[in-house]
Amino acid sequence: TQHLVCHPMVDMVSLTGGTSIGIEVVKNTADRLARTSLELGGKSPVVNSPTADFQQSMQPVMLGKTLNAGQICLAPDYLLVPEEELEEVISLATKAVKDMYSSLRDNDHYTSVINERHHKRLSGYLEDAEQRGCRIIPLNPANEDFSNSTGKIPPTLIVSPESDTLCMEEEIFGPLLPIRTYKDFDETIDYINANPRPLAAYYFGKDKGEEEAFLHRTTSG
């Protein structure tokens, strides 16, 4: 890829990918003024309003995290939920995965992480969160063993990570789902706006005022 980006016969480079790779592309094309078109994914939040039907919202959220094992550009990256609804959301996420998959390890409908490098990257995010004291909840309906290099990682919830935890700083592109809580709805908008613009942003709720605020006070691709 680096050879292609630097090649003098390439007039334009178009990249869909992570911000760190986008920076390298710009560096490698700047000296010859090659044109670049970059679509760089920020972390895509899902906001569950206190008015949301959580049973209804968690099914598509977990579908997005398990479809292609979360290796999709528009997959949910983290979840923002009302503080008092945290345990209910965890329970419903667990149920949603169980309803979709009776097992995971040898199930052809639940895929592996694309390669060993990305498996190690995702495992590193989990280790970082665990070392920081986060609650780690694998959603593993059949209680299967994933330690013997199947290449698969079960959908895993990371509860209440700090903003500087790796899973909150880096694009996940895998089956990990951090969950943060809030007390007031405006906190969700402030948090989203304090971070790089997301590729997508999702709102679940029935409050039209919140919906309008979410649409007009945040920016996403």
Side-chain angles (χ1 to χ4, degrees):
T1 304
Q2 189 159 4
H3 176 75
L4 178 65
V5 168
C6 295
H7 198 284
M9 295 298 290
V10 174
D11 296 319
M12 180 173 179
V13 176
S14 178
L15 169 75
T16 300
T19 303
S20 59
I21 302 300
I23 290 170
E24 293 304 314
V25 168
V26 171
K27 286 179 181 176
N28 286 316
T29 55
D31 62 340
R32 57 190 183 85
L33 299 178
R35 289 178 297 162
T36 59
S37 173
L38 307 177
E39 181 186 305
L40 308 177
K43 296 179 70 61
S44 300
V46 179
V47 173
N48 269 298
S49 160
T51 66
D53 180 336
F54 291 93
Q55 189 158 352
Q56 187 179 58
S57 67
M58 288 312 296
Q59 197 279 334
V61 168
M62 296 317 299
L63 177 63
K65 266 288 126 172
T66 56
L67 189 65
N68 206 36
Q71 297 166 110
I72 295 173
C73 290
L74 292 173
D77 233 298
Y78 64 92
L79 194 56
L80 297 172
V81 303
E83 195 173 62
E84 66 275 12
E85 300 290 350
L86 175 61
E87 295 307 318
E88 177 70 3
V89 166
I90 291 171
S91 175
L92 289 170
T94 304
K95 182 180 184 300
V97 172
K98 188 175 182 180
D99 288 347
M100 288 188 287
Y101 303 94
S102 58
S103 65
L104 297 168
R105 187 182 180 279
D106 298 317
N107 187 339
D108 290 339
H109 295 286
Y110 184 74
T111 192
S112 304
V113 176
I114 187 65
N115 57 35
E116 185 179 357
R117 179 170 68 89
H118 284 288
H119 192 284
K120 286 181 178 178
R121 176 181 62 82
L122 292 166
S123 298
Y125 293 174
L126 284 174
E127 289 172 12
D128 173 70
E130 193 167 19
Q131 288 171 2
R132 291 167 176 261
C134 296
R135 186 174 158 201
I136 309 296
I137 307 175
L139 306 184
N140 184 0
N143 293 316
E144 296 165 291
D145 182 8
F146 287 85
S147 62
N148 55 350
S149 66
T150 63
K152 294 185 178 182
I153 296 176
T156 305
L157 307 180
I158 303 172
V159 181
S160 300
E162 297 294 334
S163 297
D164 61 349
T165 308
L166 286 176
C167 66
M168 292 303 298
E169 288 189 327
E170 304 293 337
E171 187 177 9
I172 291 178
F173 213 68
L176 314 183
L177 182 61
I179 304 178
R180 287 174 58 95
T181 62
Y182 66 88
K183 294 180 180 179
D184 181 78
F185 183 78
D186 277 348
E187 292 176 37
T188 67
I189 293 175
D190 292 342
Y191 186 82
I192 292 168
N193 289 336
N195 291 284
R197 287 181 176 176
L199 184 60
Y202 304 97
Y203 168 83
F204 289 94
K206 301 173 184 176
D207 186 308
K208 287 299 179 183
E210 288 179 351
E211 183 181 332
E212 287 298 308
F214 188 78
L215 285 170
H216 297 292
R217 290 171 54 198
T218 67
T219 302
S220 57

